[in-house]
Amino acid sequence: VEVLMSVNLPNWYARQYSTNIQLKLQAMGSLLRPYVTEGSYTGDQASPVDFMGSVEMQDVTQRFAPMGRVDAATDRRWVFPIDSDLPQMIDKFDKLRLLTDPESKMVENGVLAAGRRMDKHILNNFFADAKTGVSGAATTSFTSANEVDVAVGGANSRLNVEKLLSVKELMRAKHVDFEREQIYCILTAKDESALMREAEITSREFNGDAPVMQDGRLVRFLGINFIYCELAESVLAGTNEVTIPVWVKSGMHLGMWNEITSDISQRKDIQGLPWQAYIYMTAGATRIDEDKVYAIESYRS
């Protein structure tokens, strides 16, 4: 049987394209939101908490003396909203050429970006001036007394056991209750590798059966829970150091005015009538209590 081959057969060759859109490696949304307090608000600012300071009893030294008065100090903490959005567009003509529909992945990608924006709000406000007073016109600064110096545990040192011991000492001295509240410390890749070289971290002689590591990850040490957040490397970077936050949940607050919202709509005001994936939210963060937030300076060359 003779088979006749046409010179035009190459016109039948098929091109195969991916039918799967995969997101590039990235931080998967908010990593810090579960570890701060949270509230929902309306208006141009909100007060998540009013403070009443501690008072001390006084000894009675006279009989039938006039009764004095002890006034507790009061204060108010404020959080302010920040609007954020992410518009992404795909041309109608481009969509006709695609075998896959990118809209769902564009929305997913945007939601992840919104989560990272939340973490930036939280990171930026660990050590920023907090707005206080009756209407938020006053400011309260982070206290340097709650900071562990970069030289603790060795000159030009990264996160180490000595620094963790020092920050725990500061917290105990300020009456942070380790039995009632979980303690959190941000961990980045560089500080993780530094801690992994410390004998106290990796040796069972020091830890016994304590869950310091799980599946190769540092989880908890000295009652401090590690939260992996690589975003801190850029947001909290200083001159040759990164400021690592250590805090309890009641010490930080995330205010939500508008949750992460997505909208898919067609832009009829643009040629080609493109589709737009629009992600937006309104959120803000603040430090609630200066004595519930601490800092460890970690060296970077």
PDB file of all heavy atoms in Angstrom, residues 204-220:
ATOM      1  N   ARG A 204      19.531  17.545  73.175  1.00  0.00           N
ATOM      2  CA  ARG A 204      18.540  17.020  74.101  1.00  0.00           C
ATOM      3  C   ARG A 204      18.987  17.171  75.556  1.00  0.00           C
ATOM      4  O   ARG A 204      18.172  17.103  76.472  1.00  0.00           O
ATOM      5  CB  ARG A 204      18.259  15.546  73.802  1.00  0.00           C
ATOM      6  CG  ARG A 204      17.275  15.333  72.660  1.00  0.00           C
ATOM      7  CD  ARG A 204      16.859  13.878  72.569  1.00  0.00           C
ATOM      8  NE  ARG A 204      15.761  13.711  71.638  1.00  0.00           N
ATOM      9  CZ  ARG A 204      14.487  13.838  71.973  1.00  0.00           C
ATOM     10  NH1 ARG A 204      14.155  14.143  73.216  1.00  0.00           N
ATOM     11  NH2 ARG A 204      13.535  13.662  71.084  1.00  0.00           N
ATOM     12  N   GLU A 205      20.278  17.349  75.774  1.00  0.00           N
ATOM     13  CA  GLU A 205      20.773  17.541  77.132  1.00  0.00           C
ATOM     14  C   GLU A 205      20.158  18.793  77.760  1.00  0.00           C
ATOM     15  O   GLU A 205      19.976  18.869  78.971  1.00  0.00           O
ATOM     16  CB  GLU A 205      22.297  17.667  77.132  1.00  0.00           C
ATOM     17  CG  GLU A 205      23.023  16.382  76.749  1.00  0.00           C
ATOM     18  CD  GLU A 205      24.526  16.561  76.813  1.00  0.00           C
ATOM     19  OE1 GLU A 205      24.969  17.518  77.490  1.00  0.00           O
ATOM     20  OE2 GLU A 205      25.236  15.757  76.200  1.00  0.00           O
ATOM     21  N   PHE A 206      19.859  19.774  76.940  1.00  0.00           N
ATOM     22  CA  PHE A 206      19.278  21.016  77.437  1.00  0.00           C
ATOM     23  C   PHE A 206      17.751  20.992  77.392  1.00  0.00           C
ATOM     24  O   PHE A 206      17.104  21.649  78.197  1.00  0.00           O
ATOM     25  CB  PHE A 206      19.787  22.206  76.608  1.00  0.00           C
ATOM     26  CG  PHE A 206      21.259  22.451  76.743  1.00  0.00           C
ATOM     27  CD1 PHE A 206      22.148  21.951  75.813  1.00  0.00           C
ATOM     28  CD2 PHE A 206      21.759  23.176  77.819  1.00  0.00           C
ATOM     29  CE1 PHE A 206      23.508  22.184  75.930  1.00  0.00           C
ATOM     30  CE2 PHE A 206      23.115  23.409  77.945  1.00  0.00           C
ATOM     31  CZ  PHE A 206      23.999  22.905  77.012  1.00  0.00           C
ATOM     32  N   ASN A 207      17.184  20.255  76.445  1.00  0.00           N
ATOM     33  CA  ASN A 207      15.751  20.369  76.194  1.00  0.00           C
ATOM     34  C   ASN A 207      14.932  19.144  76.574  1.00  0.00           C
ATOM     35  O   ASN A 207      13.721  19.230  76.708  1.00  0.00           O
ATOM     36  CB  ASN A 207      15.519  20.667  74.700  1.00  0.00           C
ATOM     37  CG  ASN A 207      16.136  21.991  74.296  1.00  0.00           C
ATOM     38  OD1 ASN A 207      15.798  23.015  74.851  1.00  0.00           O
ATOM     39  ND2 ASN A 207      17.062  21.957  73.359  1.00  0.00           N
ATOM     40  N   GLY A 208      15.568  17.992  76.724  1.00  0.00           N
ATOM     41  CA  GLY A 208      14.811  16.791  77.039  1.00  0.00           C
ATOM     42  C   GLY A 208      13.783  16.511  75.976  1.00  0.00           C
ATOM     43  O   GLY A 208      14.097  16.419  74.796  1.00  0.00           O
ATOM     44  N   ASP A 209      12.539  16.426  76.375  1.00  0.00           N
ATOM     45  CA  ASP A 209      11.462  16.145  75.416  1.00  0.00           C
ATOM     46  C   ASP A 209      10.695  17.403  75.019  1.00  0.00           C
ATOM     47  O   ASP A 209       9.613  17.321  74.433  1.00  0.00           O
ATOM     48  CB  ASP A 209      10.484  15.121  76.026  1.00  0.00           C
ATOM     49  CG  ASP A 209      11.141  13.765  76.235  1.00  0.00           C
ATOM     50  OD1 ASP A 209      11.998  13.405  75.412  1.00  0.00           O
ATOM     51  OD2 ASP A 209      10.805  13.094  77.225  1.00  0.00           O
ATOM     52  N   ALA A 210      11.212  18.573  75.375  1.00  0.00           N
ATOM     53  CA  ALA A 210      10.517  19.817  75.012  1.00  0.00           C
ATOM     54  C   ALA A 210      10.466  19.971  73.497  1.00  0.00           C
ATOM     55  O   ALA A 210      11.435  19.679  72.806  1.00  0.00           O
ATOM     56  CB  ALA A 210      11.249  21.011  75.627  1.00  0.00           C
ATOM     57  N   PRO A 211       9.343  20.420  72.948  1.00  0.00           N
ATOM     58  CA  PRO A 211       9.183  20.513  71.483  1.00  0.00           C
ATOM     59  C   PRO A 211       9.884  21.729  70.889  1.00  0.00           C
ATOM     60  O   PRO A 211       9.254  22.654  70.376  1.00  0.00           O
ATOM     61  CB  PRO A 211       7.668  20.601  71.313  1.00  0.00           C
ATOM     62  CG  PRO A 211       7.206  21.293  72.556  1.00  0.00           C
ATOM     63  CD  PRO A 211       8.125  20.825  73.660  1.00  0.00           C
ATOM     64  N   VAL A 212      11.223  21.742  70.975  1.00  0.00           N
ATOM     65  CA  VAL A 212      11.962  22.859  70.391  1.00  0.00           C
ATOM     66  C   VAL A 212      11.875  22.818  68.874  1.00  0.00           C
ATOM     67  O   VAL A 212      11.704  23.841  68.217  1.00  0.00           O
ATOM     68  CB  VAL A 212      13.437  22.823  70.846  1.00  0.00           C
ATOM     69  CG1 VAL A 212      14.228  23.931  70.172  1.00  0.00           C
ATOM     70  CG2 VAL A 212      13.516  22.958  72.353  1.00  0.00           C
ATOM     71  N   MET A 213      11.985  21.630  68.303  1.00  0.00           N
ATOM     72  CA  MET A 213      11.954  21.471  66.853  1.00  0.00           C
ATOM     73  C   MET A 213      10.900  20.454  66.452  1.00  0.00           C
ATOM     74  O   MET A 213      10.685  19.463  67.145  1.00  0.00           O
ATOM     75  CB  MET A 213      13.329  21.042  66.335  1.00  0.00           C
ATOM     76  CG  MET A 213      14.422  22.062  66.564  1.00  0.00           C
ATOM     77  SD  MET A 213      16.009  21.517  65.892  1.00  0.00           S
ATOM     78  CE  MET A 213      15.603  21.361  64.152  1.00  0.00           C
ATOM     79  N   GLN A 214      10.254  20.719  65.325  1.00  0.00           N
ATOM     80  CA  GLN A 214       9.305  19.790  64.718  1.00  0.00           C
ATOM     81  C   GLN A 214       9.538  19.786  63.220  1.00  0.00           C
ATOM     82  O   GLN A 214       9.454  20.833  62.579  1.00  0.00           O
ATOM     83  CB  GLN A 214       7.854  20.184  65.027  1.00  0.00           C
ATOM     84  CG  GLN A 214       7.471  20.010  66.480  1.00  0.00           C
ATOM     85  CD  GLN A 214       6.019  20.394  66.737  1.00  0.00           C
ATOM     86  OE1 GLN A 214       5.276  20.735  65.817  1.00  0.00           O
ATOM     87  NE2 GLN A 214       5.605  20.349  67.988  1.00  0.00           N
ATOM     88  N   ASP A 215       9.871  18.610  62.688  1.00  0.00           N
ATOM     89  CA  ASP A 215      10.119  18.461  61.248  1.00  0.00           C
ATOM     90  C   ASP A 215      11.163  19.464  60.752  1.00  0.00           C
ATOM     91  O   ASP A 215      11.037  20.044  59.663  1.00  0.00           O
ATOM     92  CB  ASP A 215       8.819  18.640  60.458  1.00  0.00           C
ATOM     93  CG  ASP A 215       7.782  17.598  60.821  1.00  0.00           C
ATOM     94  OD1 ASP A 215       8.171  16.445  61.109  1.00  0.00           O
ATOM     95  OD2 ASP A 215       6.585  17.935  60.834  1.00  0.00           O
ATOM     96  N   GLY A 216      12.205  19.662  61.563  1.00  0.00           N
ATOM     97  CA  GLY A 216      13.285  20.551  61.158  1.00  0.00           C
ATOM     98  C   GLY A 216      13.017  22.024  61.354  1.00  0.00           C
ATOM     99  O   GLY A 216      13.851  22.860  61.012  1.00  0.00           O
ATOM    100  N   ARG A 217      11.860  22.375  61.905  1.00  0.00           N
ATOM    101  CA  ARG A 217      11.511  23.772  62.152  1.00  0.00           C
ATOM    102  C   ARG A 217      11.647  24.074  63.633  1.00  0.00           C
ATOM    103  O   ARG A 217      11.276  23.262  64.484  1.00  0.00           O
ATOM    104  CB  ARG A 217      10.058  24.062  61.742  1.00  0.00           C
ATOM    105  CG  ARG A 217       9.826  24.152  60.253  1.00  0.00           C
ATOM    106  CD  ARG A 217       8.330  24.159  59.968  1.00  0.00           C
ATOM    107  NE  ARG A 217       7.618  25.156  60.757  1.00  0.00           N
ATOM    108  CZ  ARG A 217       7.306  26.371  60.338  1.00  0.00           C
ATOM    109  NH1 ARG A 217       7.653  26.754  59.129  1.00  0.00           N
ATOM    110  NH2 ARG A 217       6.643  27.208  61.104  1.00  0.00           N
ATOM    111  N   LEU A 218      12.164  25.264  63.941  1.00  0.00           N
ATOM    112  CA  LEU A 218      12.178  25.720  65.325  1.00  0.00           C
ATOM    113  C   LEU A 218      10.769  26.165  65.694  1.00  0.00           C
ATOM    114  O   LEU A 218      10.184  27.018  65.017  1.00  0.00           O
ATOM    115  CB  LEU A 218      13.156  26.884  65.490  1.00  0.00           C
ATOM    116  CG  LEU A 218      14.642  26.543  65.330  1.00  0.00           C
ATOM    117  CD1 LEU A 218      15.483  27.810  65.460  1.00  0.00           C
ATOM    118  CD2 LEU A 218      15.075  25.529  66.358  1.00  0.00           C
ATOM    119  N   VAL A 219      10.236  25.589  66.734  1.00  0.00           N
ATOM    120  CA  VAL A 219       8.850  25.851  67.113  1.00  0.00           C
ATOM    121  C   VAL A 219       8.757  26.669  68.399  1.00  0.00           C
ATOM    122  O   VAL A 219       8.034  27.670  68.458  1.00  0.00           O
ATOM    123  CB  VAL A 219       8.082  24.519  67.270  1.00  0.00           C
ATOM    124  CG1 VAL A 219       6.654  24.777  67.742  1.00  0.00           C
ATOM    125  CG2 VAL A 219       8.078  23.749  65.974  1.00  0.00           C
ATOM    126  N   ARG A 220       9.502  26.267  69.420  1.00  0.00           N
ATOM    127  CA  ARG A 220       9.325  26.874  70.739  1.00  0.00           C
ATOM    128  C   ARG A 220      10.582  26.658  71.569  1.00  0.00           C
ATOM    129  O   ARG A 220      11.173  25.576  71.544  1.00  0.00           O
ATOM    130  CB  ARG A 220       8.103  26.240  71.421  1.00  0.00           C
ATOM    131  CG  ARG A 220       7.757  26.775  72.795  1.00  0.00           C
ATOM    132  CD  ARG A 220       6.527  26.028  73.315  1.00  0.00           C
ATOM    133  NE  ARG A 220       6.248  26.318  74.702  1.00  0.00           N
ATOM    134  CZ  ARG A 220       5.461  27.306  75.116  1.00  0.00           C
ATOM    135  NH1 ARG A 220       4.898  28.095  74.228  1.00  0.00           N
ATOM    136  NH2 ARG A 220       5.244  27.503  76.410  1.00  0.00           N
TER     137      ARG A 220
END
